């Protein structure tokens, strides 16, 4: 089975440029999460969707960040304009709601460097 | 106070040793608890859920203490392959997931 797929795996860009990260969740999963991980702040939840609808975006750092999920098999996280402090690993995860537990399956991450 | 706290370590232990990690959480209404493992430059993966009665999976034992609001992970007979960061995860509510900062473990030959 294919797991969560993210692209690109690595992105190097210059400050001010637009960055788009992509995620394909596991088929059948109804939750999708975007996380950011840095050494200083650890793993932070940015936003999550349920059935393609954004439920909680309180973790989105500022208006430069936006996320969409146009259908059940695709989501994007966009940063415009990018800044050096956005450099981090961005993970996408998906899960299926189960009354017992909701294990999250993570993608391999996108390592973003903003120069 | 952070919602989920862990000792960052690093824990450096010899092969064969027993090591324990603790994690504390602030929301007493939290419903479910997990330990995830993250290898260097990889994504986090579920290691085990933590049940109220405690549970064991091979060399790994997880315990929950609701009264004191902490969970623990015990690793017996440490292997080199256990070297990783261990993340404590708490669900304050069903749809909300909080990851702890992680505890780094290095198992030394």
């Amino acid at each position: 089975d294919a797991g969560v797929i993210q692209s690109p795996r690595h992105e190097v860009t210059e400050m001010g440029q637009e960055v788009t990260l992509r995620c394909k969740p596991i088929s059948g999963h109804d939750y999708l999460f975007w996380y950011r991980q840095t050494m200083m702040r650890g793993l932070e939840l940015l936003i999550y969707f349920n059935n393609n609808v954004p439920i909680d975006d309180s973790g989105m750092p500022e208006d430069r960040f936006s996320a969409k999920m146009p259908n059940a098999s695709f989501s994007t996280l966009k940063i415009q304009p990018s800044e050096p402090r956005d450099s981090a690993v961005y993970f996408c995860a998906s899960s299926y709601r189960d009354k017992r537990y909701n294990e999250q399956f993570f993608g391999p991450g996108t390592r973003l460097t903003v120069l | 106070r952070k919602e989920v706290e862990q000792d960052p370590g690093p824990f450096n232990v010899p092969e064969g040793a027993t090591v324990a990690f603790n994690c504390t959480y602030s929301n007493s209404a939290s419903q479910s608890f997990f330990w995830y493992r993250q290898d260097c430059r990889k994504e986090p993966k579920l290691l085990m859920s933590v049940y109220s009665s405690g549970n064991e999976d091979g060399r790994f034992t997880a315990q929950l203490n609701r009264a004191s609001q902490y969970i623990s992970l015990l690793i017996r007979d440490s292997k080199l392959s256990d070297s990783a960061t261990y993340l404590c995860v708490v669900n304050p509510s069903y749809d909300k997931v909080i990851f702890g900062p992680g505890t780094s473990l290095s198992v030394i030959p």
Side-chain angles (χ1 to χ4, degrees):
Chain A
D1 284 342
V4 175
I5 299 172
Q6 290 187 248
S7 64
R9 294 292 304 277
H10 301 273
E11 176 81 28
V12 180
T13 190
E14 292 187 346
M15 183 173 63
Q17 296 298 306
E18 177 180 295
V19 175
T20 300
L21 311 181
R22 297 172 177 79
C23 175
K24 176 179 169 54
I26 293 173
S27 178
H29 282 191
D30 55 353
Y31 281 86
L32 184 139
F33 305 82
W34 281 101
Y35 291 90
R36 177 174 68 177
Q37 188 173 40
T38 61
M39 288 292 292
M40 291 297 294
R41 301 176 66 91
L43 196 63
E44 301 174 280
L45 176 64
L46 301 177
I47 184 172
Y48 76 91
F49 297 82
N50 177 223
N51 292 322
N52 313 338
V53 177
I55 303 300
D56 184 352
D57 65 354
S58 59
M60 296 286 262
E62 48 196 274
D63 292 346
R64 297 184 297 107
F65 286 68
S66 63
K68 294 182 180 180
M69 192 166 185
N71 57 62
S73 59
F74 183 65
S75 177
T76 60
L77 178 68
K78 186 175 294 186
I79 308 172
Q80 166 63 22
S82 58
E83 297 182 3
R85 60 190 167 123
D86 300 331
S87 298
V89 180
Y90 290 81
F91 288 105
C92 175
S94 69
S95 71
Y96 171 71
R97 184 167 180 149
D98 182 292
K99 287 186 178 180
R100 292 168 294 160
Y101 67 93
N102 54 342
E103 176 182 358
Q104 294 192 18
F105 294 82
F106 282 76
T110 295
R111 188 169 297 272
L112 174 64
T113 302
V114 183
L115 303 174
Chain B
R1 182 185 174 187
K2 291 184 179 178
E3 292 189 76
V4 179
E5 296 191 80
Q6 296 180 249
D7 182 342
F11 284 63
N12 298 314
V13 303
E15 272 185 290
T18 295
V19 61
F21 307 134
N22 286 330
C23 166
T24 57
Y25 59 94
S26 60
N27 189 332
S28 60
S30 296
Q31 300 173 10
S32 48
F33 311 87
F34 310 89
W35 284 101
Y36 277 67
R37 171 194 169 130
Q38 186 173 22
D39 293 309
C40 186
R41 302 179 75 85
K42 297 286 189 179
E43 71 273 23
K45 292 183 179 179
L46 180 68
L47 176 66
M48 59 195 303
S49 302
V50 186
Y51 302 124
S52 296
S53 55
N55 48 298
E56 189 174 303
D57 183 2
R59 299 181 293 109
F60 299 82
T61 300
Q63 297 278 354
L64 168 63
N65 185 320
R66 285 190 184 272
S68 300
Q69 293 179 214
Y70 79 81
I71 68 174
S72 64
L73 177 68
L74 182 78
I75 306 175
R76 292 181 299 278
D77 188 23
S78 299
K79 311 288 185 191
L80 296 177
S81 57
D82 294 333
S83 297
T85 296
Y86 291 83
L87 302 164
C88 170
V89 180
V90 175
N91 284 109
S93 60
Y94 196 91
D95 283 354
K96 190 173 182 181
V97 176
I98 308 291
F99 278 77
T103 297
S104 175
L105 171 66
S106 291
V107 181
I108 304 164

